[in-house]
Amino acid sequence: MMLPGFPNATPVAGLVGGLLIGLAAAIMLLGLGRIAGVSGMLARASGISDTGTPRAIALAFIAGLPLGALLVILSSSSIRPLFTGSVLQLVIAGLLVGFGTRLGSGCTSGHGVCGLSRLSRRSMVATLTFMVSGFATVGLMRAFGFING
Amino acid sequence: MKVPAISLLAGTLFGAGLTISGMADPARVRAFLDLFGAWDPTLAFVMVGAMVPMAIAWLVQKRMPRPIVCEAFDLPGTSLLDAKLLGGASLFGIGWAIGGLCPGPALADLAIAPIEAGIFVAAMLAGMTAHRIITK
């Protein structure tokens, strides 16, 4: 389905994928009593953090992420993420995301999906902050000619 | 074994959802953040889709004495606003924009574009380690 005025948008795939993400987070909350926060669980699974989700739970969740992606691309020929950035760009971005999510205690999943739906003041402020920061950064990249078209 | 199995199931659903939704596609994430270009609102639909089951789950959670499988709820506090939260979220937003990836999609993409996602994930782990060393 197309969205009038936005030829590249895929609203139905977005909604369906979003529902799966929300369902997964709901299973973590109601089944295991925990937040499906990916940055926190990655830190725990990798041994960088000693506190938080028990390690076996974190490891299993983290392992599921590429497994789920694999199942989707095996069953669909049209879904292929597009990477355009340079290696340097990926390294700088990864460092900032790793450091920033630990300092700010969460990312798009923990603060965004889980925190916003809980109406957590802390998560609302964090989500607003990283959204504005993201919009501003892409705006600056465009202004300085890193993005064309 | 039951608890990790449930977590693996949830992680797999989460990874599938990220991939189907477009959230695991750096080009689409960048297009969502690109207000001054050909803006792509798809990620707003992803957020709405994810909010619905989670908002219901929080309403149910309030009425549950304990989670279905584990002994007790273990949830973070919700109100403290400090410089760490703002600074961390700001840095994260910059990285999210530069790479078009946040932690979940980067890990999911290990199965799709292992080289690019692998570089990002390695750098992300280095960033997390740097935070741990600095805050020790």
Side-chain angles (χ1 to χ4, degrees), chain B residues 2 7 11 15 22 24 27 32 39 44-45 49-50 55-56 58 74 87-88 91 94 96 100 109-110 118 121 128:
Chain B
K2 199 173 162 194
S7 188
F32 172 71
W39 188 57
F45 288 85
I56 297 169
W58 282 117
D74 187 359
L91 291 176
I94 296 170
W96 188 35
D109 281 343
L110 286 172
V121 169
M128 289 183 167

Side-chain angles (χ1 to χ4, degrees), chain A residues 57-68, chain B residues 8 11-12:
Chain A
I57 295 180
L59 271 170
F61 188 91
I62 295 300
L65 295 172
L67 182 62
Chain B
L8 179 67
T12 305

Side-chain angles (χ1 to χ4, degrees), chain B residues 9-60:
Chain B
L9 170 74
T12 305
L13 280 175
F14 203 101
L18 289 171
T19 311
I20 291 170
S21 67
M23 197 81 201
D25 183 345
R28 195 175 285 284
V29 172
R30 177 80 57 69
F32 172 71
L33 294 175
D34 195 4
L35 289 178
F36 306 101
W39 188 57
D40 178 348
T42 302
L43 261 56
F45 288 85
V46 184
M47 275 315 263
V48 170
M51 285 299 148
V52 173
M54 259 324 266
I56 297 169
W58 282 117
L59 291 176
V60 174

